[in-house]
């Protein structure tokens, strides 16, 4: 029993809220409440039947009005407020304590029935008051005239196909995502807003699936650069419409974009939409996706149990785009820096959880296409919305995302040889910094053999016994070596990588950098330096960890430290990053 | 701008909600709304002044009524609803687009001021409309008569001592927690509800601090076995009171126990209470503490920043008791099994986070006393509310909790020797099972040298460079050895232990068991077996990992597997656990 999040711990609370207050509350929320109240069964029975009749007829009238006028507006839907005593029909008192209408009706109402004959008699009297002899035949079966009252076939609540949404789900008609990509001739030369082309792709997904696809978000979709969607469908809006709304308001009564700054409301709507056989896409600010941690947990538990129920058909995956990420909170600052949702996700069943960190536009499109086609998963995609360097042509991106992890040969200098050092990254900004560190090292130490690895599918790091996407030890050892230093630049909290990879042969040589709660209102470079994921910290780390560099790297380390200080000073003075950093391009 | 969680993404939403609906909504929540609406500055100015006057006088009247009658009731507090155009005073239009009163007032209102002289002129006109020459003198200083309007001293909002609560905080007067303990003569012989004596302790904390201490909880405190508190203060309740409430309702208008099934409301109230210089204690079901993940994150960020502000005085710690834990969800089942809040906690600054897993009553009391005395932390205490074995006398418990981690000599058989095997545990049920496994092994292999370690303070596992509580490597290596197998039975998700201990010398020999999302409506033993934290799985694991047992342990392993199957069969048939398991006692 809840009323706006208020459980009746003392279960007679509802009885204490005045009729007037309940009426105000629901009218304030736009409903028309009908009250059925009391404790006399026969009069309540009549009143309830009449009220349901009235409400159904009001609903039908609202539907007729909308259909005949062609104008969708917000009717004041009827709602029924039924108030009966807590534990209605129970004995008024048991051993001198109030039972019916009191909090005790929420507990075991008679605790000593086995030992105390007078309690057993009271229980029998209570049960007999239901008149079982009128309801069941001599074999204990429900009498036919009652049985007939129950609906048949798919009118039964449990057999309603909307309660097993996979039964009525139709696959999405998907346009070819390859048509939305960035043209990348050479890695690391041009920049693009990573989520913007995704918006164009989602627009066309929407256009081809106007009855089974919606986009949900607590933030303005425009803020997350997904605004191209509005070309085919607006924000759902059935309140008053002002003339100036036509100029950029993007509101429509038949809008398929659901926007409300309430993460949990959006998540709840999306879950209901998926469970009833439709498809959806959710985007949200990274730091605030923690608001739905608990809902995510329950949906993941539900999906994992469904995998064991043969009669439950597969539903569409829950697709979460985590954007406006920790590394680009240039004016929002510390409160908006929290990449910890991934730590919540990895605790849930490997059968239903997937995490992707596409480094650029083409990878993001390839991942998004895959997620929209999948079933029964929760897909978490981490991708920032700002301008970022582009690395992969569409063909290369598809191969990279299909493998989920791979060597970037163009960034590496180990050319088929055993590397001296492995540089790895997962996430957009960490990838840029790890590449820049690689470039610094290659320039400084031309003979150095660096292998560059990028991870898109985070669960590749776990053993295959723990997650179906896990790399075999043979593949992992071959990529990360069994004894060379690995510098891993990660988007989230660094310990997550250790947690996933602790069983790997070379784990003790893996040095992970990530977010360590060292933030403020920083420029991107300042924030990277504070948390040691910047190019200079990585290059210094590489020198410290690589035997052949330890003795010859002192001067380079000094220079990198000087450059770090230059970056900090520039940011402090100008409030933005040094143009050399902002305009950095991959030099090879 | 929020209205019940609804951000005005389109910022003119509030203008579209009818006066009538707003009135209903706030009346439904028990307020009396006063409206000040419009866009004419002078008339609004007058109306606002008159409305504030009216509201202040209504508040004073309600206070006088309550004080003179001595009856605390719920007045309908006045509230002011001020509605003005979004971006009030901005130009009505900029380059043909509506600005004042539209969503554009939430953006950069004029983007091209530097390049377009006509926009600069418009900006100047707007700014000049504020009449700066009447507000500032020729030096740009605010004129004296305006300056005088601002309050002085502690009437300034920023200097109000309630905004820097540490200034007015007084320490709690704490009774001696030793007086509430369980009498434990010999480890592992008697059982007690672990949280029940804590309730008695909190009762007396309350009694001695009736103006500065409150207990908060989304659940019934009785359900969490803290009901002794009601002997000195009831649940806060100012709605209608029924005669039968006197019989067990535990309601009072001056109650200091805050109960509402709304984790985030309770957490918000507690944060406000602490920030204004008071002390509190929060208890909640483990699985649902995830509802406040996001609030925890922000409070932890806030506390960690405060550590860098010399003028901000220390406030009382936020004390969270996580109870009704994963391992005892005998009838609630899978949805109530989620020990993952700890994974969220460890991501935040080590300067403000503390995690304790006391295994019994006396340890819980010692930990709780410590937490109530501490400042500027978030203390997370994990302790189940059911009947559990008791291990430590009060003296032993105090020593154990002060160290935070320690060898239980009475459970060990390595008597000053190098052990063959280290058995470790953290948490109540995992400790019981690890001890039972130790007993099985000692019985089966009398010459085996087992060292038993219990962890109360989880951060002891991290290196001291990562957390101030971290054990030095020397201490850690001496406890856990540098090369012997360690079986670690953990309360939460097992990977968390790897994440904390991955840098330790002997990490590659640490084998952690914990919750792996293998649950249903299980008996405690079934659930333990499903997740392999049960005594038999641990004993089998120990045989597999200990070189001297590998060749001789096959028969014991078979027997343990048979006993496991017996346990499963018994639970399936009877719905409860085998009495041999339920009544198990430490045998040495």
């Amino acid at each position: 029993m809840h009323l706006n999040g208020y459980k009746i711990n003392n279960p007679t609370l509802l009885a204490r809220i005045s009729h007037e207050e309940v009426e105000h509350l629901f009218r304030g929320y736009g409903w028309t409440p009908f009250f059925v109240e009391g404790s006399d069964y026969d009069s309540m029975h009549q009143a309830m039947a009449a009220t349901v009749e009235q409400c159904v007829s009001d609903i039908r009238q609202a539907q007729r009005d909308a259909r005949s006028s062609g104008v969708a507006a917000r009717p004041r839907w009827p709602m029924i407020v039924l108030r009966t005593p807590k534990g209605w029909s129970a004995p008024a008192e048991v051993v001198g304590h109030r039972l019916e209408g009191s909090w005790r009706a929420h507990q075991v109402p008679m605790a000593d029935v086995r030992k105390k004959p007078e309690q057993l008699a009271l229980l029998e009297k209570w049960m007999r008051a239901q008149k079982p002899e009128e309801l069941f035949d001599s074999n204990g079966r429900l009498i036919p005239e009652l049985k007939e009252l129950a609906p048949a076939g798919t009118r039964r609540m449990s057999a309603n196909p909307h309660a097993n949404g996979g039964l009525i789900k139709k696959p999405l008609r998907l346009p070819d995502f390859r048509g939305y990509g960035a043209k990348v001739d050479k890695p690391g030369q041009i920049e693009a807003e990573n989520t913007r082309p995704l918006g164009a792709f989602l627009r066309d997904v929407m256009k081809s699936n106007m009855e089974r696809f919606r986009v949900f978000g607590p933030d303005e979709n425009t803020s997350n650069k997904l605004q191209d969607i509005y070309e085919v469908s607006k924000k759902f809006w059935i309140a008053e419409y002002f003339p100036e709304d036509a100029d950029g308001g993007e509101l429509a009564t038949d809008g398929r974009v659901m926007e409300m700054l309430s993460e949990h409301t959006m998540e709840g709507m999306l879950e209901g939409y998926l469970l009833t056989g439709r498809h959806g896409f959710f985007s949200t600010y990274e730091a605030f996706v923690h608001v739905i941690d608990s809902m995510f947990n329950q949906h993941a538990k539900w999906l994992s149990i469904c995998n064991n129920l043969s009669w439950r058909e597969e539903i569409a995956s829950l697709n979460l785009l985590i954007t406006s990420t920790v590394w680009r909170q240039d004016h929002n600052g510390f409160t908006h820096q929290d990449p910890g949702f991934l730590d919540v996700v990895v605790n849930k069943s490997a059968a239903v959880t997937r995490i992707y960190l596409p480094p650029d536009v083409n990878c993001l499109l390839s991942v998004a296409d895959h997620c929209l086609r999948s079933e029964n998963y929760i897909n978490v995609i981490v991708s920032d919305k700002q301008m970022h360097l582009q690395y992969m042509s569409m063909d290369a991106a598809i191969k990279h995302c299909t493998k989920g992890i791979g060597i970037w040969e163009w960034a590496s200098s180990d050319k088929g040889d055993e590397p001296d050092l492995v540089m790895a990254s997962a996430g957009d900004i960490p990838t840029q910094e790890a590449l820049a560190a690689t470039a610094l090292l290659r320039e400084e130490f031309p003979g150095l053999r660096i292998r560059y690895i990028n991870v898109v599918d985070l669960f590749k790091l776990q053993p295959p016994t723990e997650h179906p996407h896990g790399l075999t030890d043979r593949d992992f050892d071959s990529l990360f070596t069994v004894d060379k230093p690995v510098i891993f630049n990660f988007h989230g909290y660094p310990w997550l990588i250790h947690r996933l990879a602790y069983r790997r042969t070379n784990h003790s040589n893996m040095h992970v950098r990530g977010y360590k709660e060292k933030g403020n209102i920083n420029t991107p470079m300042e924030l990277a330096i504070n948390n040691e994921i910047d190019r200079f910290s990585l290059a210094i780390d590489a020198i410290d960890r690589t035997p052949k560099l330890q003795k010859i790297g002192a001067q380079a380390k000094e220079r990198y430290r000087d450059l770090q200080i230059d970056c900090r000073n520039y940011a402090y003075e100008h409030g933005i990053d040094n143009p050399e950093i902002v305009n950095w391009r991959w030099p090879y």
Side-chain angles (χ1 to χ4, degrees), chain A:
Chain A
M1 261 172 117
H2 288 72
L3 179 70
N4 290 303
Y6 199 123
K7 180 188 174 187
I8 293 61
N9 274 354
N10 180 307
T12 56
L13 171 68
L14 253 186
R16 296 165 208 243
I17 298 179
S18 73
H19 185 110
E20 185 206 353
E21 250 171 24
V22 176
E23 172 121 21
H24 275 309
L25 198 59
F26 290 122
R27 284 195 181 276
Y29 278 116
W31 301 83
T32 302
F34 289 83
F35 288 82
V36 183
E37 297 175 280
S39 61
D40 170 60
Y41 180 74
D42 287 326
S43 67
M44 293 276 283
H45 177 197
Q46 302 290 333
M48 188 69 184
T51 305
V52 170
E53 184 67 29
Q54 171 75 50
C55 292
V56 169
S57 109
D58 286 0
I59 291 168
R60 295 225 163 116
Q61 186 59 48
Q63 291 169 328
R64 269 195 303 273
D65 290 349
R67 281 162 196 160
S68 63
S69 69
V71 178
R74 186 172 62 138
R76 296 191 70 90
W77 296 110
M79 68 173 301
I80 301 173
V81 180
L82 173 68
R83 301 221 271 193
T84 67
K86 179 87 184 170
W88 193 17
S89 86
E93 280 200 1
V94 174
V95 290
H97 296 294
R98 179 82 177 257
L99 178 57
E100 189 191 46
S102 100
W103 57 270
R104 286 190 185 79
H106 198 76
Q107 315 291 322
V108 177
M110 298 175 196
D112 293 321
V113 166
R114 285 178 195 226
K115 289 179 200 152
K116 299 196 177 155
E118 68 277 15
Q119 279 201 19
L120 183 62
L122 199 60
L123 175 64
E124 185 171 351
K125 190 178 159 208
W126 177 15
M127 294 295 102
R128 287 207 183 280
Q130 317 290 330
K131 301 183 187 159
E133 65 284 0
E134 295 177 12
L135 309 177
F136 302 97
D137 68 17
S138 56
N139 295 316
R141 272 199 217 101
L142 202 60
I143 58 170
E145 60 190 293
L146 283 178
K147 223 170 166 178
E148 268 167 25
L149 292 178
T154 57
R155 306 303 293 256
R156 290 169 300 167
M157 203 182 284
S158 63
N160 182 322
H162 290 87
N164 187 2
L167 286 172
I168 50 174
K169 178 168 76 75
K170 292 184 188 157
L172 285 176
R173 280 185 290 265
L174 289 174
D176 187 344
F177 67 92
R178 294 170 189 81
Y180 303 84
K183 194 167 172 307
V184 177
D185 298 323
K186 208 170 156 299
Q189 306 306 318
I190 60 157
E191 287 192 318
E193 289 171 336
N194 280 352
T195 54
R196 189 79 202 254
L198 177 67
F201 177 58
L202 291 173
R203 172 197 64 204
D204 293 347
V205 174
M206 181 87 86
K207 194 158 69 179
S208 306
N209 300 277
M210 291 291 271
E211 291 182 344
R212 60 182 63 92
F213 182 69
R214 280 183 189 268
V215 172
F216 301 76
D219 317 304
E220 292 161 278
N221 278 285
T222 303
S223 155
N224 289 334
K225 317 274 175 169
L226 301 174
Q227 66 266 40
D228 287 357
I229 299 171
Y230 298 133
E231 292 170 21
V232 300
S233 191
K234 307 294 184 191
K235 300 178 220 186
F236 174 71
W237 186 261
I238 48 169
E240 213 182 331
Y241 194 88
F242 290 170
E244 64 265 30
D245 291 334
D247 178 25
E250 310 290 14
L251 308 178
T253 54
D254 63 350
R256 306 187 65 73
V257 178
M258 312 302 288
E259 248 184 44
M260 184 194 288
L261 184 52
S262 174
E263 282 78 1
H264 52 289
T265 307
M266 290 291 96
E267 167 73 11
M269 284 186 176
L270 173 56
E271 286 185 17
Y273 196 67
L274 300 177
L275 291 171
T276 49
R278 278 81 65 87
H279 305 258
F281 193 91
F282 188 109
S283 72
T284 186
Y285 273 42
E286 184 177 59
F288 306 121
V289 67
H290 275 297
V291 172
I292 58 161
D293 280 3
S294 186
M295 300 178 81
F296 157 81
N297 281 336
Q298 296 301 328
H299 192 69
K301 281 178 180 278
W302 192 89
L303 286 174
S304 74
I305 291 284
C306 288
N307 282 339
N308 302 325
L309 304 175
S310 58
W311 53 268
R312 195 169 266 294
E313 299 295 325
E314 315 272 85
I315 59 164
S317 296
L318 195 156
N319 300 308
L320 286 173
L321 173 69
I322 309 255
T323 185
S324 296
T325 60
V326 48
W327 301 111
R328 291 304 304 271
Q329 294 301 333
D330 319 8
H331 37 258
N332 288 317
F334 195 41
T335 55
H336 284 51
Q337 296 163 3
D338 195 313
F341 184 64
L342 303 184
D343 295 85
V344 175
V345 174
V346 295
N347 280 338
K348 288 291 161 289
S349 166
V352 303
T353 45
R354 302 291 183 267
I355 296 174
Y356 301 99
L357 298 112
D360 66 5
V361 163
N362 292 339
C363 289
L364 173 58
L365 288 166
S366 173
V367 162
D369 178 77
H370 172 77
C371 293
L372 288 171
R373 289 173 193 278
S374 73
E375 292 180 321
N376 265 38
Y377 296 150
I378 299 176
N379 295 307
V380 179
I381 308 172
V382 183
S383 175
D384 191 57
K385 65 188 183 183
Q386 311 274 1
M387 294 294 280
H388 293 285
L389 282 176
Q390 302 301 309
Y391 309 107
M392 315 286 277
S393 69
M394 186 52 85
D395 279 353
I398 294 170
K399 282 191 188 115
H400 185 50
C401 295
T402 306
K403 289 182 291 183
I405 183 171
I407 296 174
W408 280 1
E409 209 188 336
W410 50 268
S412 306
S413 60
D414 63 334
K415 301 193 184 64
D417 236 336
E418 200 180 5
D420 300 310
L421 164 74
V422 177
M423 184 72 74
S425 66
D428 34 42
I429 292 264
T431 294
Q432 172 193 293
E433 291 304 311
L435 283 169
T438 303
L440 286 173
L441 291 165
R442 285 179 59 177
E443 190 178 347
E444 187 73 29
F445 309 105
L448 187 70
R449 289 164 302 184
I450 306 184
R451 174 175 298 170
Y452 194 94
I453 295 176
N454 184 266
V455 182
V456 174
D457 177 348
L458 197 64
F459 284 116
K460 287 287 166 194
L461 299 178
Q462 271 199 327
T465 50
E466 300 297 307
H467 195 285
H469 285 198
L471 281 184
T472 63
D473 278 336
R474 204 168 289 203
D475 281 343
F476 194 95
D477 290 351
S478 138
L479 277 176
F480 287 94
T481 80
V482 296
D483 54 2
K484 295 294 178 289
V486 179
I487 309 287
F488 197 118
N489 213 26
F490 180 49
H491 170 84
Y493 293 98
W495 312 283
L496 178 55
I497 300 300
H498 291 293
R499 183 201 154 137
L500 295 172
Y502 72 90
R503 290 194 191 179
R504 301 298 192 173
T505 318
N506 198 28
H507 174 255
S508 62
N509 287 313
M510 289 181 76
H511 309 285
V512 187
R513 298 292 164 252
Y515 185 66
K516 295 188 294 187
E517 290 285 315
K518 305 282 186 195
N520 208 315
I521 299 176
N522 301 117
T523 68
M525 196 59 184
E526 273 180 308
L527 186 64
I529 294 171
N530 288 346
N531 292 281
E532 301 178 272
I533 71 145
D534 65 295
R535 56 198 68 184
F536 306 115
S537 296
L538 298 175
I540 292 169
D541 222 7
I543 292 170
D544 288 343
R545 309 292 184 177
T546 308
K548 69 192 273 190
L549 301 186
Q550 282 161 1
K551 289 187 183 157
I552 60 167
Q555 269 137 359
K557 281 171 64 177
E558 288 292 307
R559 210 156 44 246
Y560 300 153
R561 289 220 174 87
D562 289 346
L563 288 165
Q564 254 182 354
I565 295 167
D566 288 344
C567 285
R568 281 188 194 272
N569 288 345
Y570 191 99
Y572 186 82
E573 200 172 328
H574 297 87
I576 52 170
D577 279 327
N578 194 322
E580 277 174 47
I581 297 294
V582 175
N583 300 320
W584 180 84
R585 298 291 179 265
W586 174 250
Y588 290 96

